[in-house]
Amino acid sequence: LEKLGTSFNLMAQSLMQNRDNLEERIAKATKDLAHANHELLKMDKLKSDFLANMSHELRTPLTAVKGSINYLERTMTDREQLEFIGIIEKNISRLTRLISNLFDFTKLEAGTIDWEFEREDISQLVLEVIEIMSPLALQKKINIEQDCPRNLYAVIDLERMEQVLVNLIDNAIKFSTPDSKVTIDVKPTEDHIKISITDQGPGISTENLETIFKKFYTASSNLTHKDQGAGMGLAISKAIVTAHKGSIHVRSEKGVSSTFIIT
């Protein structure tokens, strides 16, 4: 019994020592993890600040280039040269949109966007965006049809919601087949407004419906369009709509059409 008691005491001491060692290791691991997390957050902030600064710096020369192109368009008379100027202007506009998306994306991630919520006429906004997108639709021989009752008001950030509608209608035109149509349907309910944008494009496969709003997703697995974008537009749109306490989702039939719905 005496030997057994001694053995138990040695085992107890060993267990206590192991427990103390384990607690020390856990404490050290926790401290190291906290430090690593702090460094990760610091690096993420530096990344966001860098991208925001770069976006701003890139916008300035692009604005100057665009102004020069506009001047050349007004003064040139040679048709072939004007066609080349048109190509340059189109690509400058695309690059400007990409940079703007990058700028907004970094601000959304950092939570530094200054929202300006006011009571605005949604009907007027939708019609204005359709007018903005009409030249692009005309170029691709796509008809934009709309069913939008007048005088529908909601509290929104007008500039940001315009950005969402431009992005969605641009995508609808981009992925629709030529000589087809894009349909925009606006319906009021008791406490919200629903905007549906339907294209006549290749559709989205079922497995991609859950990921299409994730950042950097370009749908390359189910679309072969040459201009798929950088995978920020839908992620930004979702963030903006969510900030309005709304929702955005998509219904799609492969090979037939896709409908994006904002509430």
Side-chain angles (χ1 to χ4, degrees):
L1 288 174
E2 185 178 347
K3 289 181 180 180
L4 187 59
T6 302
S7 297
F8 277 128
N9 287 334
L10 291 173
M11 288 176 60
Q13 290 174 6
S14 178
L15 287 171
M16 290 178 65
Q17 186 176 1
N18 288 338
R19 185 197 65 185
D20 292 341
N21 290 338
L22 183 59
E23 288 178 349
E24 288 179 6
R25 290 167 63 186
I26 290 173
K28 185 178 183 305
T30 302
K31 185 178 179 180
D32 291 344
L33 184 61
H35 177 73
N37 187 53
H38 175 73
E39 289 299 312
L40 185 62
L41 290 173
K42 188 165 68 172
M43 291 298 294
D44 189 58
K45 185 179 185 306
L46 287 172
K47 176 211 70 176
S48 296
D49 291 343
F50 171 76
L51 289 175
N53 290 333
M54 283 301 298
S55 299
H56 177 74
E57 291 298 323
L58 287 168
R59 276 178 170 180
T60 303
L62 279 175
T63 301
V65 170
K66 198 166 185 178
S68 300
I69 290 171
N70 289 337
Y71 173 77
L72 289 173
E73 277 188 316
R74 293 194 303 270
T75 56
M76 275 186 174
T77 56
D78 185 272
R79 178 173 295 181
E80 185 178 2
Q81 290 179 335
L82 283 171
E83 287 180 359
F84 281 113
I85 289 294
I87 294 170
I88 294 171
E89 184 178 29
K90 180 180 178 182
N91 283 279
I92 287 290
S93 296
R94 179 172 179 266
L95 185 56
T96 302
R97 286 198 303 273
L98 287 170
I99 291 171
S100 295
N101 279 342
L102 178 62
F103 184 61
D104 290 333
F105 180 76
T106 55
K107 291 179 73 176
L108 283 164
E109 276 205 322
T112 57
I113 281 189
D114 295 322
W115 299 98
E116 295 182 8
F117 292 103
E118 300 288 345
R119 187 173 183 268
E120 304 285 358
D121 188 344
I122 294 288
S123 309
Q124 185 65 28
L125 173 62
V126 171
L127 294 175
E128 287 177 359
V129 172
I130 290 174
E131 185 176 352
I132 291 170
M133 304 307 296
S134 290
L136 181 62
L138 185 63
Q139 182 181 359
K140 201 173 177 181
K141 299 180 181 179
I142 289 175
N143 185 38
I144 299 179
E145 297 183 358
Q146 57 88 12
D147 182 5
C148 182
R150 299 299 188 266
N151 300 316
L152 295 178
Y153 288 87
V155 177
I156 60 170
D157 183 311
L158 186 62
E159 181 181 348
R160 299 299 173 188
M161 282 307 301
E162 178 182 317
Q163 183 179 0
V164 171
L165 292 174
V166 166
N167 178 53
L168 294 179
I169 295 174
D170 177 65
N171 282 347
I173 294 171
K174 182 193 303 180
F175 294 116
S176 286
T177 56
D179 298 308
S180 62
K181 67 178 180 179
V182 169
T183 305
I184 302 167
D185 184 49
V186 184
K187 288 184 178 178
T189 66
E190 185 177 347
D191 58 356
H192 59 266
I193 296 171
K194 183 170 75 172
I195 304 172
S196 303
I197 300 168
T198 303
D199 62 41
Q200 291 186 328
I204 304 165
S205 59
T206 304
E207 61 269 20
N208 287 313
L209 291 177
E210 295 298 321
T211 56
I212 196 169
F213 292 105
K214 292 182 178 180
K215 59 185 179 183
F216 309 131
Y217 177 83
T218 60
S220 57
S221 59
N222 59 306
L223 293 176
T224 57
H225 197 280
K226 65 181 180 180
D227 186 21
Q228 291 175 358
M232 291 186 292
L234 290 177
I236 290 171
S237 297
K238 183 176 181 178
I240 292 173
V241 172
T242 300
H244 284 74
K245 299 180 181 179
S247 65
I248 179 171
H249 65 279
V250 59
R251 294 196 310 260
S252 184
E253 185 177 352
K254 187 70 174 170
V256 179
S257 67
S258 298
T259 300
F260 286 84
I261 302 165
I262 308 169
T263 301

